[in-house]
């Protein structure tokens, strides 16, 4: 199959035709590029999983053009969901709600709940508006790999596997949406993103709702924390968003360990360093790629930088972890933890 890259308005018309025919199409959102299909058609949903090689137990996010359409798709809606939709939609917040009858079970990995959001991107919204039906769209990359934040990234991942990439330039946010579970008594952030825990807590409090907003995996009956996490949000795998080159993470405070590792394991290997500004030079490193010091800019460029590191022909990538933890840094840290292993 020939993969074509097009820009609007032609691209939007082609995308709507493809979606109407039960096909898949890659399109930009403010978070990352998505691989969309009609969320009400099992054959179309199945194609998304097949093209990505995505495990069937990893549910997709449903996208709609506005809150009214999202309400129509959901099998239930509550006051807290209403507040968050008002505050953050269109935007990078995904809410887990009861699944409505029109949404394919397969799109939700067989669950009775579904994840849904209204994206804040003019091209995505135009496609959704003109198509008029909910679109399930995971990131437009092969399963487990770094998410695409430009049309060129999508092509590098899915060339020959999909008919069309709608080119909308670079994504402005660059990290996948925040996922918050709204089906339990207290909303729980399952995946951090650009809409931070603090922002959600502020909105809930300002609305006068007496609800705690939690984050991370709930304490369940599973044996391990990872199992508990997988029960709460299937698809949040410990290794994900990852470059193909073996990648190891480190923090500035553990530099002696890094230097020792380089002296032993690094000998004869081409080491690519991805780090924040002003890291003292490290002997034995072949190439340095710098991440922006600001949170929003770092989020926006993280995946593109990991891709460049992957493409630079190294044997190993060393990734510096951020020192800050709050706000969007929580999301950056989360993705880096999945992209790279702890330095042995
Ligand atoms: P993405 O890979 O960006 O498409 O995001 C999909 C992620 O949203 C999944 O991997 C889950 O972590 C989360 N998610 C989707 N549907 C549900 C659901 N019904 N319950 C809990 N988490 C979900
Ligand atoms: Mg993804």
């Amino acid at each position: 199959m020939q993969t074509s890259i097009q820009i609007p308005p032609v691209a939007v018309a082609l995308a709507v035709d493809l979606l109407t025919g039960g096909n898949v199409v890659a399109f930009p959102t403010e978070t990352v590029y998505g691989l969309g299909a009609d969320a009400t058609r099992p054959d179309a949903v199945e194609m998304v999983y097949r093209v990505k090689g995505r495990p069937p137990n990893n549910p997709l996010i449903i996208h709609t053009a506005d809150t009214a359409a999202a309400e129509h798709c959901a099998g239930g809606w509550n006051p807290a969901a209403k507040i968050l939709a008002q505050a953050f939609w269109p935007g990078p917040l995904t809410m887990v709600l009861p699944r409505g009858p029109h949404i394919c079970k397969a799109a939700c990995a067989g669950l009775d709940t579904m994840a849904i959001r209204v994206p804040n991107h003019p091209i995505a919204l135009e496609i959704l508006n003109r198509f008029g039906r909910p679109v399930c769209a995971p990131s437009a990359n092969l399963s487990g790999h770094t998410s695409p934040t430009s049309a060129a990234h999508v092509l590098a991942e899915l060339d020959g596997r999909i008919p069309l990439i709608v080119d909308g330039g670079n994504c402005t946010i660059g990290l996948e949406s925040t996922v918050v579970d709204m089906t339990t008594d207290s909303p729980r952030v399952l995946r951090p993103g650009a809409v931070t825990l603090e922002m959600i807590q502020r909105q809930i409090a300002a609305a006068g709702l007496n609800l705690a907003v939690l984050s991370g995996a709930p304490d369940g009956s599973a044996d391990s924390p990872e199992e508990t996490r997988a029960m709460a949000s299937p698809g949040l795998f410990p290794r994900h968003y990852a470059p193909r080159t073996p990648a190891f993470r480190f923090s500035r405070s553990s530099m002696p360990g890094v230097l020792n590792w380089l002296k032993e394991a690094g000998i004869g290997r081409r080491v690519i360093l991805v780090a924040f500004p002003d890291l003292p030079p490290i002997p034995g490193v072949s190439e340095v790629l710098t991440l922006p010091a600001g949170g929003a800019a770092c989020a926006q460029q993280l995946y593109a930088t990991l891709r460049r590191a992957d493409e630079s022909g190294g044997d190993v990538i060393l990734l510096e972890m951020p020192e800050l933890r709050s706000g969007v840094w929580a999301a950056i840290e989360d993705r880096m933890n999945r992209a790279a292993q702890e330095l042995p």
Side-chain angles (χ1 to χ4, degrees):
M1 177 189 300
Q2 183 90 20
T3 301
S4 135
I5 302 188
Q6 301 281 343
I7 55 168
V10 170
V12 170
L14 289 173
V16 173
D17 282 350
L18 284 164
L19 291 171
T20 306
N23 226 311
V24 294
V25 59
F27 64 92
T29 79
E30 80 280 33
T31 59
V32 301
Y33 273 70
L35 181 66
D38 185 338
T40 67
R41 276 181 70 157
D43 57 336
V45 170
E46 199 264 328
M47 205 182 296
V48 172
Y49 281 92
R50 189 154 27 91
V51 164
K52 276 185 61 94
R54 183 164 171 119
N57 65 348
N58 189 353
L60 311 177
I61 293 175
I62 315 293
H63 297 67
T64 60
D66 52 39
T67 303
E71 269 186 67
H72 181 72
C73 290
W77 197 251
N78 56 48
K82 199 171 183 148
I83 298 299
L84 296 188
Q86 245 162 25
F88 300 116
W89 283 356
L93 179 79
T94 295
M95 292 200 270
V96 176
L97 291 160
R99 181 169 53 84
H102 307 301
I103 302 296
C104 267
K105 227 176 166 169
C108 306
L111 301 169
D112 293 329
T113 55
M114 63 173 206
I116 192 157
R117 85 174 183 108
V118 179
N120 187 15
H121 192 290
I123 297 175
L125 288 173
E126 201 182 335
I127 292 172
L128 289 166
N129 261 312
R130 289 183 42 186
F131 181 51
R133 298 159 80 89
V135 168
C136 57
S139 50
N141 53 275
L142 295 174
S143 183
H145 193 218
T146 316
S147 300
T149 56
S150 73
H153 295 166
V154 181
L155 191 69
E157 292 282 324
L158 300 178
D159 192 12
R161 301 172 80 98
I162 58 173
L164 176 68
I165 301 169
V166 179
D167 188 350
N170 293 332
C171 301
T172 50
I173 294 205
L175 293 182
E176 301 78 5
S177 58
T178 307
V179 177
V180 57
D181 186 358
M182 304 303 292
T183 64
T184 51
D185 288 343
S186 299
R188 182 180 287 274
V189 175
L190 300 173
R191 176 173 78 183
V195 172
T196 64
L197 175 66
E198 297 87 339
M199 287 159 73
I200 295 171
Q201 285 169 332
R202 265 201 301 278
Q203 289 296 331
I204 294 285
L209 294 180
N210 188 19
L211 288 178
V213 183
L214 311 170
S215 82
D219 295 331
S221 54
D223 291 337
S224 70
E226 277 311 331
E227 252 177 77
T228 317
R229 191 161 186 153
M231 275 167 30
S233 195
L236 283 187
F237 304 119
R239 185 166 167 77
H240 209 96
Y241 315 117
R244 295 191 169 90
T245 312
F248 297 100
R249 58 181 195 258
F250 70 96
S251 55
R252 213 166 267 212
S253 57
S254 63
M255 280 315 290
V258 177
L259 296 175
N260 277 339
W261 183 85
L262 275 167
K263 262 191 239 148
E264 290 162 19
I267 296 290
R269 294 165 98 182
R270 193 174 142 75
V271 177
I272 313 297
L273 175 69
V274 177
F276 290 98
D278 306 322
L279 185 74
I282 301 180
V285 162
S286 305
E287 193 176 334
V288 183
L289 300 178
T290 305
L291 288 169
C298 180
Q300 204 247 336
Q301 286 171 43
L302 176 64
Y303 287 144
T305 309
L306 288 178
R307 251 170 217 283
R308 270 198 286 136
D310 221 2
E311 285 156 7
S312 64
D315 300 308
V316 57
I317 297 170
L318 285 183
L319 176 63
E320 186 187 5
M321 299 295 287
E323 286 179 320
L324 295 171
R325 295 282 150 82
S326 60
V328 75
W329 290 110
I332 293 168
E333 185 191 26
D334 172 76
R335 304 308 190 277
M336 285 185 172
N337 276 335
R338 293 174 209 278
Q341 294 165 272
E342 186 112 47
L343 201 64

